[in-house]
């Protein structure tokens, strides 16, 4: 129980997110209407993705400094959960865009950047599965993972800001200050980001422990 | 496997209760009921206030709860396996 306090926190934060996210007061804005509540579900997917992929990069760097199977497993599992969050983020974004921007896909710089970023990470999965030898696979995919993360940051946070974009926080506006100014939104948004990210970390935790066990059994059988 | 059986049973129960609720709810909404609402029925009406947003909250909580329960059970299974492997000294 001592080490599991953060799992209880995850459950509490997510329950709070759903209840407060649906029932709390939100700013009355044209076009957005009630869909502004997606802020608590769509945006945390991306924040969660970035944080979980950062965890993955940290373990990749650790692997290159200290090549243990554990570091490789953590990096791989975190990357997979990060990609899952990214895919959910892009799908929820398309659903939201259909009813506010008019199209599922309007070739917005933010959408295109996110799609390219995800493709780079899909390539990570393909690259990993193309090696038969464990050490080679771990080392090369660790190096690739670092470059993938370095490519993702400008694709999501820099390039969309250099051009006009429908997406808040793009087209020259740093951050999403139009909503961020509102404290009612912040009160749910920050717990939501923390809750969803912790859920991702939890999945990484369970999956990694499972993989480590499997490795140990394979080594000894 | 056991968990899935429990889950299926639970889903059936939930569906059944929701079906019953619906049958009761429909005439009430039309205002055609002659029976005066009891306090328990007023409690149930909470879920139909504010454009029925509470129904959405209930559904979301159910989905979230189901996913979390599944994740917790996975976590426990892995923990048990970890202990077993440790005790075997593999």
């Amino acid at each position: 129980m001592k080490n599991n306090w953060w799992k209880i926190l995850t459950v509490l934060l997510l329950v709070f997110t759903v209840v407060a996210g649906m029932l709390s007061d939100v700013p009355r804005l044209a076009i957005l209407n009630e869909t502004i509540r997606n802020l608590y579900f769509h945006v945390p997917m991306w924040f969660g993705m970035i944080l979980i992929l950062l965890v993955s990069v940290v373990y990749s760097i650790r692997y290159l400094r200290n090549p243990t199977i554990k570091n490789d497993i953590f990096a791989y599992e975190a990357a997979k959960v990060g990609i899952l969050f990214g895919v959910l983020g892009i799908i929820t974004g398309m659903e939201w865009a259909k009813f506010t921007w008019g199209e599922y896909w309007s070739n917005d710089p933010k959408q295109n950047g996110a799609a390219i970023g995800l493709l780079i990470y899909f390539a990570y999965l393909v690259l990993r599965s193309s090696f038969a030898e464990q050490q080679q696979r771990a080392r090369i995919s660790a190096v690739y993972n670092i470059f993938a993360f370095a490519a993702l940051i400008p694709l999501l946070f820099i390039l969309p800001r250099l051009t006009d974009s429908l997406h808040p926080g793009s087209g020259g506006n740093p951050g999403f200050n139009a909503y961020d100014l509102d404290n009612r939104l912040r009160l749910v948004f920050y717990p939501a980001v923390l809750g969803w990210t912790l859920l991702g970390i939890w999945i990484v935790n369970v999956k990694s422990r499972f993989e480590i066990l499997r490795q140990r059994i394979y080594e000894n059988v | 496997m056991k968990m899935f059986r429990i889950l299926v049973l639970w889903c059936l129960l939930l569906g059944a209760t929701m079906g019953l609720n619906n049958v009761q709810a429909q005439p009430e909404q039309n205002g055609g009921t002659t029976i005066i609402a009891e306090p328990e029925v007023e409690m149930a009406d909470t879920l139909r206030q504010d454009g029925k947003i509470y129904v959405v909250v209930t559904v979301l909580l159910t989905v979230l709860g189901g996913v979390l329960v599944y994740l917790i059970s996975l976590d426990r299974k892995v923990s048990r396996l970890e202990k077993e492997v440790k005790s075997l000294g593999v």
Side-chain angles (χ1 to χ4, degrees):
Chain A
M1 223 49 190
K2 246 187 310 175
N3 298 323
N4 287 339
W5 61 270
W6 61 277
K7 291 171 184 170
I8 297 162
L9 182 72
T10 309
V11 174
L12 292 178
L13 283 171
L14 287 177
V15 169
F16 172 77
T17 301
V18 166
V19 175
M22 283 293 141
L23 300 180
S24 67
D25 269 341
V26 290
R28 289 170 175 270
L29 299 175
I31 300 170
L32 273 178
N33 306 101
E34 291 281 0
T35 69
I36 198 168
R37 295 182 197 276
N38 277 347
L39 180 74
Y40 311 135
F41 303 98
H42 162 72
V43 186
M45 289 300 124
W46 294 106
F47 276 56
M49 182 197 76
I50 285 291
L51 290 171
I52 293 164
L53 289 179
L54 185 68
V55 170
S56 172
V57 169
V58 167
Y59 275 102
S60 279
I61 294 169
R62 282 179 67 168
Y63 178 83
L64 293 175
R65 293 168 66 92
N66 176 27
T68 62
I69 288 178
K70 263 188 191 181
N71 282 338
D72 183 47
I73 287 173
F74 283 133
Y76 180 43
E77 297 304 334
K80 278 198 290 190
V81 173
I83 290 167
L84 171 70
F85 271 52
V87 170
L88 289 176
I90 215 161
I91 293 171
T92 53
M94 281 168 69
E95 288 163 353
W96 197 1
K98 173 68 184 167
F99 299 100
T100 47
W101 300 352
E103 291 288 336
Y104 285 111
W105 199 271
S106 39
N107 279 323
D108 188 78
K110 196 83 164 184
Q111 284 183 324
N112 284 344
I116 297 166
L118 279 179
L119 286 174
I120 291 173
Y121 268 95
F122 289 153
Y124 169 81
L125 300 179
V126 174
L127 179 76
R128 256 198 93 92
S129 61
S130 63
F131 293 105
E133 209 264 315
Q134 193 270 327
Q135 284 189 345
Q136 199 181 26
R137 175 175 61 224
R139 195 173 65 248
I140 293 173
S141 51
V143 173
Y144 181 86
N145 192 17
I146 295 165
F147 279 105
F149 191 73
L152 187 69
I153 298 302
L155 279 170
L156 287 182
F157 301 113
I158 299 172
L159 293 178
R161 282 187 190 154
L162 298 178
T163 55
D164 278 334
S165 168
L166 292 161
H167 196 283
S170 301
N173 303 322
F176 40 105
N177 48 13
Y179 314 126
D180 217 15
L181 283 171
D182 200 298
N183 280 324
R184 286 173 294 176
L185 290 176
R186 273 191 199 169
L187 187 70
V188 185
F189 177 64
Y190 292 138
V193 167
L194 193 62
W196 288 111
T197 307
L198 281 174
L199 181 71
I201 303 276
W202 190 355
I203 298 170
V204 173
N205 172 283
V206 171
K207 191 74 202 307
S208 303
R209 280 157 55 206
F210 174 76
E211 284 300 321
I212 288 167
L213 278 176
R214 197 160 74 160
Q215 285 289 336
R216 201 178 292 170
I217 288 166
Y218 282 175
E219 272 169 24
N220 288 281
V221 172
Chain B
M1 215 48 222
K2 197 177 150 198
M3 210 196 73
F4 278 104
R5 242 176 283 159
I6 293 167
L7 206 70
V8 166
L9 201 73
W10 183 75
C11 284
L12 279 174
L13 264 172
L14 196 76
T17 46
M18 288 209 165
L20 280 177
N21 268 346
N22 255 344
V23 171
Q24 288 173 344
Q26 262 356 82
E28 248 173 66
Q29 268 186 340
N30 300 333
T33 41
T34 47
I35 308 156
I36 297 156
E38 285 170 52
E40 285 88 357
V41 182
E42 274 172 16
M43 287 267 289
D45 280 341
T46 317
L47 283 176
R48 292 179 204 106
Q49 283 168 4
D50 291 347
K52 293 181 186 162
I53 187 67
Y54 295 103
V55 179
V56 181
V57 175
T58 314
V59 167
L60 284 176
L61 283 177
T62 310
V63 171
L64 186 68
V67 171
L68 285 175
V69 164
Y70 185 59
L71 184 59
I72 290 166
S73 83
L74 274 182
D75 197 331
R76 286 197 171 156
K77 270 178 198 162
V78 172
S79 293
R80 218 176 300 144
L81 208 62
E82 273 173 342
K83 266 181 213 154
E84 235 169 83
V85 167
K86 210 173 190 181
S87 70
L88 285 171
V90 177

